[in-house]
Amino acid sequence: ISATLRPCSCSRSIATICASVHLLFFIVPKFRCWCVSYLSTHLISGELTFTRKAYKDILVESLRYCQEKKGLLLYAWVIMSNHVHLIAAAADGHLLPNILRDLKKFTATRVLKAIAENGQESRKEWMLPIFAKAGAVNSNNTHFQFWRQDNRPVQLYTTEVFGQKLAYLHNNPVVEGYVEVAEEYVYCSAPAMAGKPGLLKLEPC
C-alpha cells in the first residue's frame, strides 16, 4: 500500500506499547536478541483471496497454532485482502524463518483446499489456475504456489521504528477503506490494543 498515512486511531495504545518496548530495549538487553521484526508476506498473484471470511479465519487459526505450538511471539498483525503484516519474533529455541515457512505451507494447503471445495466460490475457476501456473514454474512447489517466498523482514531495533511500523500496520484497513478507525477492523491487533476483545493473543511489552 503506497499512501499517505492518516493519524492512526490507536495512537494512545501505540504510545503505551512503544513506551514499554523502550524499557525492554534499553533496560532488558535480552529483548534485542529476540530480533523483533516487521514482516510482510503477499500472495503470489496479488489476487484478493482474503476478502472471504472463511479464508481469513484459516489464517487466524494457523497463527494461533504457531503461537501455541511453534514459538511464535506476536506483537501486532493485520490480514488484508492479498497480504499479511506481522510484528513478530521467535521464542527461545525457535527460528522465525522456520515458523513462517510452516505457517505459509499449512495455510496455502488449507486455503487452496477451501477454495476448491467451496461450492459458492465463484472465483475458483480462474483463481486456482493462477496458483497452479505459479507453482509449475517454481521447483520448490509440487503443484501450487500460493504465497511469495519472501517475507521482507525489517528488524525493529528502535522504538521509533517499532512505532512507525505499528502505526502503518494498523492504518492499512483505514487507508483501504475497510473501516473508519483501526480498532473497528476485526482481523488485526488494533481492537486488542484498544482494550477490546481480539482474535489473537498479543505478547506483553
Side-chain angles (χ1 to χ4, degrees):
I1 296 173
S2 56
T4 302
L5 289 180
R6 305 177 190 179
C8 180
S9 58
C10 294
S11 57
R12 182 173 63 179
S13 299
I14 289 172
T16 301
I17 193 171
C18 285
S20 300
V21 171
H22 177 86
L23 292 176
L24 284 170
F25 269 109
F26 295 105
I27 295 178
V28 185
K30 182 181 178 183
F31 186 77
R32 297 193 189 98
C33 299
W34 287 357
C35 294
V36 177
S37 297
Y38 173 82
L39 304 147
S40 300
T41 185
H42 290 66
L43 299 185
I44 189 67
S45 64
E47 303 305 331
L48 307 182
T49 303
F50 291 117
T51 53
R52 300 278 195 260
K53 178 181 183 299
Y55 309 149
K56 290 196 288 280
D57 287 342
I58 290 172
L59 187 49
V60 170
E61 176 189 337
S62 301
L63 284 166
R64 185 179 298 115
Y65 179 85
C66 287
Q67 287 180 291
E68 295 173 354
K69 304 294 185 181
K70 290 187 173 290
L72 177 66
L73 303 177
L74 195 60
Y75 293 89
W77 62 282
V78 64
I79 300 174
M80 301 300 291
S81 59
N82 61 4
H83 64 279
V84 177
H85 296 302
L86 305 174
I87 295 179
D92 289 344
H94 299 271
L95 296 174
L96 190 55
N98 293 351
I99 297 171
L100 296 173
R101 177 201 63 207
D102 294 346
L103 172 72
K104 291 165 78 171
K105 181 178 180 179
F106 180 78
T107 53
T109 301
R110 283 285 307 278
V111 173
L112 289 169
K113 184 174 185 289
I115 292 172
E117 295 179 353
N118 187 348
Q120 297 182 339
E121 179 53 86
S122 59
R123 306 172 298 171
K124 73 172 70 178
E125 292 184 0
W126 56 266
M127 286 179 70
L128 292 177
I130 289 174
F131 295 125
K133 182 178 179 180
V137 297
N138 189 333
S139 60
N140 293 323
N141 298 285
T142 305
H143 300 294
F144 295 88
Q145 183 170 347
F146 185 69
W147 297 103
R148 293 183 188 174
Q149 291 180 317
D150 63 308
N151 299 306
R152 302 180 182 180
V154 177
Q155 298 290 315
L156 304 184
Y157 285 120
T158 69
T159 55
E160 181 182 3
V161 176
F162 188 101
Q164 289 171 353
K165 293 302 184 183
L166 183 62
Y168 177 82
L169 181 153
H170 282 160
N171 212 44
N172 265 233
V174 179
V175 171
E176 287 297 297
Y178 295 178
V179 291
E180 289 294 322
V181 291
E183 59 260 36
E184 292 178 353
Y185 186 59
V186 175
Y187 290 95
C188 76
S189 49
M193 290 191 181
K196 300 178 180 180
L199 295 179
L200 293 168
K201 179 188 74 174
L202 301 179
E203 292 300 315
C205 291

